[in-house]
Amino acid sequence: MLVLGIETSCDETSASVVADGKSVISSIIASQVEAHHPYGGVVPEIASRKHIEYIVSVVNEALIPFGIQKKQLAGIAVTQGPGLIGSLLVGLSFAKAFAYGLSIPWIGVNHLIGHIHSVFLEPECPQFPFVALLVSGGHTIIYHVTDYLTYDILGTTLDDACGEAFDKVSKMLGCGYPGGTIIGQLAEKGNPNAIQFPRTFIDKSNFDFSFSGIKTAVSRYIQTHPNSVHDELFDISASFQEAVVDVLTYKILHAARVTGCRSIAIVGGVAANTRLRQKVTESAIKENIHVFVPSIKYCGDNAAMIAALGYHYLINGESSCFDHDVYTKKKSKSL
Ligand code: KG4
Ligand code: ZN
């Protein structure tokens, strides 16, 4: 069963065709990095305009070169929220019109749960139940996943998202956007133990996070150490990254232990971070827990994960109505 996925929640215009929620036939991602780079972050109005510019050609690219006829599509899955309202509207409106024109069902899905489904695109995927660490630009959440469509939130960030901390630290260091990738690269050349930035566990027995303290600690270090941005760029990056990775590793392993899960999934843009993948994997092996991460191309925003998630609703006979709208924040506590 072929599902067309469409993702436009932030600054990536993406379309993908996935068979049976698992096999990626095509995955096209048009990045807007160059358009936002001069502003040091994503400008929502520019993002929506770029989505409008790209959406038709991105969908065509996901179909035509792969020999997929529109009539072969069984349904469309599109990100309904959370995300930037103008950006979401482009994808949702396109999906509604396309589904109407083809007389096929469409389903609006949650972007965050879509990220979890990125691990199902890989040949080796976790068995249920498992715990998932979602680390993206806007969210940091630990889920207990018991089925393709059944999730409970165990913990979340009380302030900044983890990716947001990477982005802001990059800005403080004058390195700009896209921050996470830049900090990850700088960190590889630095000493992770050079500066002892604080690890905020809040309460070691729960699964909540806080990243605003570490961000402030980096800012204060820069202010109190003249020339540090120039002289210690690599060490600051590596030490900041290590502090964040320590907390994420501790919490997700603790979640696996408490729930008795033998598998951990790490998903979302920050899941591309080499040190995070390495540290969680090394720590989990010691406890005979398996770690599953998507390929780098499926860590960031992509429509393949949206199609994979949408497939499970569509085979259950669930679809959305034409009066369904986008939502910018988390829709309900369980999502
Ligand atoms: O999932 P995503 O592509 O978009 C959202 O749904 O937010 O995540 C984007 C976030 C950004 O904050 C970006 O800085 C971060 O993922 N990121 C990384 C890396 N690559 C992207 N953070 C740390 N290390 C990376 N290698
Ligand atoms: Zn995302």
Side-chain angles (χ1 to χ4, degrees):
M1 174 171 156
L2 298 187
V3 174
L4 171 69
I6 294 175
E7 155 63 37
T8 63
S9 67
C10 189
D11 59 341
E12 253 100 29
T13 317
S14 179
S16 166
V17 176
V18 175
D20 303 328
K22 173 89 194 137
S23 311
V24 181
I25 297 182
S26 62
S27 173
I28 307 299
I29 305 172
S31 165
Q32 302 181 2
V33 169
E34 276 176 27
H36 301 286
H37 183 77
Y39 305 95
V42 178
V43 182
E45 184 57 30
I46 294 179
S48 342
R49 285 165 191 259
K50 286 281 165 196
H51 286 308
I52 293 173
E53 201 180 312
Y54 295 160
I55 187 83
V56 173
S57 54
V58 165
V59 171
N60 278 333
E61 270 181 65
L63 298 174
I64 299 163
F66 298 89
I68 303 162
Q69 312 275 318
K70 290 174 193 157
K71 60 175 189 266
Q72 290 175 265
L73 299 172
I76 299 175
V78 59
T79 302
Q80 193 174 354
L84 301 172
I85 190 159
S87 294
L88 288 164
L89 271 170
V90 177
L92 195 88
S93 309
F94 183 93
K96 282 182 185 178
F98 210 56
Y100 184 76
L102 295 172
S103 297
I104 55 173
W106 71 279
I107 181 86
V109 304
N110 182 283
H111 178 79
L112 309 178
I113 306 305
H115 271 298
I116 297 177
H117 278 253
S118 62
V119 284
F120 299 123
L121 301 172
E122 300 300 327
E124 300 273 318
C125 37
Q127 301 285 315
F128 300 112
F130 63 91
V131 283
L133 172 67
L134 163 73
V135 270
S136 71
H139 300 86
T140 307
I141 303 175
I142 293 183
Y143 293 93
H144 184 225
V145 186
T146 47
D147 186 25
Y148 287 109
L149 299 176
T150 318
Y151 314 84
D152 277 317
I153 291 181
L154 300 180
T156 184
T157 181
L158 304 180
D159 41 53
D160 292 351
C162 169
E164 193 181 349
F166 271 91
D167 295 335
K168 288 185 177 160
V169 165
S170 175
K171 217 168 188 174
M172 283 178 213
L173 295 173
C175 299
Y177 163 90
T181 323
I182 297 170
I183 296 289
Q185 285 163 356
L186 295 172
E188 279 174 25
K189 298 182 191 154
N191 173 4
N193 302 313
I195 307 152
Q196 278 307 302
F197 288 125
R199 273 76 172 148
T200 311
F201 291 99
I202 309 171
D203 175 344
K204 279 203 162 185
S205 67
N206 75 18
F207 310 108
D208 288 332
F209 299 95
S210 165
F211 294 105
S212 70
I214 173 122
K215 202 183 62 188
T216 310
V218 175
S219 164
R220 208 167 286 147
Y221 186 87
I222 294 169
Q223 281 163 17
T224 53
H225 294 74
N227 299 328
S228 61
V229 170
H230 183 263
D231 298 343
E232 299 171 68
L233 184 62
F234 300 139
D235 285 351
I236 296 174
S237 303
S239 301
F240 157 76
Q241 176 178 273
E242 196 66 14
V244 171
V245 166
D246 270 357
V247 175
L248 294 173
T249 305
Y250 175 85
K251 294 266 174 172
I252 192 61
L253 274 153
H254 183 49
R257 267 181 235 122
V258 168
T259 55
C261 290
R262 308 314 301 161
S263 300
I264 289 173
I266 316 173
V267 298
V270 186
N273 186 276
T274 312
R275 182 66 184 136
L276 176 63
R277 293 162 87 103
Q278 180 191 39
K279 189 145 193 173
V280 175
T281 305
E282 280 171 8
S283 310
I285 281 174
K286 293 179 197 149
E287 301 186 35
N288 204 18
I289 293 171
H290 300 277
V291 177
F292 297 84
V293 284
S295 341
I296 301 291
K297 62 181 180 233
Y298 299 132
C299 288
D301 293 343
N302 68 88
M305 67 187 194
I306 300 302
L309 169 57
Y311 163 81
H312 291 281
Y313 287 108
L314 293 166
I315 50 162
N316 282 349
E318 285 183 55
S319 60
S320 298
C321 302
F322 288 108
D323 61 350
H324 286 185
D325 209 348
V326 298
Y327 52 90
T328 53
K329 298 253 163 58
K330 267 191 306 192
K331 199 177 185 184
S332 72
K333 188 156 169 35
S334 64
L335 289 176

